[in-house]
């Protein structure tokens, strides 16, 4: 397996709950290396640009409103098979269906406010990481 990098976002609902540190610690305890981190607030337009792949879906506007409703924490994680493994750590999109001990089961509220976002493929990671971080902001 190859060492990969993936983007993970702590969404506004989890930031509002104050569980950023718990989420970061959870991923670190699984053996992944945090190589970039920042807290920011997206505008609605930035959220629309980031989630452009969902623009034809019925939840697009609601998602963009939510993601611009408060601060988020953006991170880049590195490790073996990081994209797939961190998605397992996050759990199913719907917290009600997520396995016990996953981030969404622990901190998600519902399918729309599910605490975290993670890249779902190498292609999405290649778009998502530079959306939030320049090469200078990622520690080698």
């Amino acid at each position: 397996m190859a060492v990969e990098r993936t983007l993970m976002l702590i969404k506004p609902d989890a930031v509002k709950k104050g569980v950023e540190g718990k989420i970061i610690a959870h991923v670190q305890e699984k053996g992944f290396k945090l190589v970039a981190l920042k807290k920011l607030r997206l505008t609605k337009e930035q959220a629309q640009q980031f989630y452009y792949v969902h623009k034809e879906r019925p939840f697009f506007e609601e998602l963009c409103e939510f993601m611009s409703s408060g601060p988020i924490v953006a991170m880049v994680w590195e490790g073996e098979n990081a994209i797939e493994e961190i998605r397992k750590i996050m759990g199913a999109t719907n917290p009600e269906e997520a396995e016990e001990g996953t981030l969404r089961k622990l901190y998600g509220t519902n399918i729309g406010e599910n605490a975290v976002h993670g890249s779902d493929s190498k292609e999405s990671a290649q778009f998502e990481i530079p959306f939030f971080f320049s090469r200078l902001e990622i520690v080698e």
Side-chain angles (χ1 to χ4, degrees):
M1 292 193 188
V3 172
E4 296 176 328
R5 287 187 175 160
T6 188
L7 181 87
M8 184 175 171
L9 301 177
I10 301 175
K11 295 182 177 183
D13 57 317
V15 172
K16 187 175 182 179
K17 291 177 187 174
V19 295
E20 305 99 302
K22 291 178 180 181
I23 291 172
I24 293 167
H26 190 101
V27 178
Q28 283 179 317
E29 288 166 5
K30 301 291 185 184
F32 292 93
K33 180 181 175 185
L34 183 61
V35 296
L37 171 74
K38 68 169 71 168
K39 189 173 192 177
L40 64 143
R41 185 167 183 165
L42 293 173
T43 65
K44 185 175 179 189
E45 293 74 26
Q46 289 168 326
Q48 289 170 333
Q49 290 167 4
F50 182 73
Y51 284 108
Y52 79 97
V53 297
H54 299 303
K55 69 181 174 198
E56 301 302 322
R57 302 237 175 118
F59 59 82
F60 178 71
E61 284 302 318
E62 185 180 347
L63 172 64
C64 294
E65 286 286 339
F66 168 62
M67 289 301 293
S68 60
S69 70
I72 64 170
V73 175
M75 301 165 283
V76 178
W77 291 96
E78 182 179 87
E80 292 288 327
N81 203 22
I83 296 167
E84 182 180 336
E85 293 302 316
I86 288 179
R87 290 197 57 87
K88 288 179 189 174
I89 292 167
M90 290 175 15
T93 303
N94 185 344
E96 293 177 15
E97 298 171 3
E99 288 185 32
E100 290 299 325
T102 61
L103 294 172
R104 288 180 172 146
K105 188 68 162 187
L106 291 166
Y107 306 113
T109 304
N110 56 52
I111 197 165
E113 297 183 9
N114 58 12
V116 290
H117 164 93
S119 302
D120 64 3
S121 66
K122 288 181 184 180
E123 295 75 24
S124 66
Q126 289 171 350
F127 167 76
E128 293 178 351
I129 292 170
F131 188 91
F132 287 99
F133 296 97
S134 74
R135 287 181 37 223
L136 293 175
E137 295 174 304
I138 299 174
V139 178
E140 297 294 330

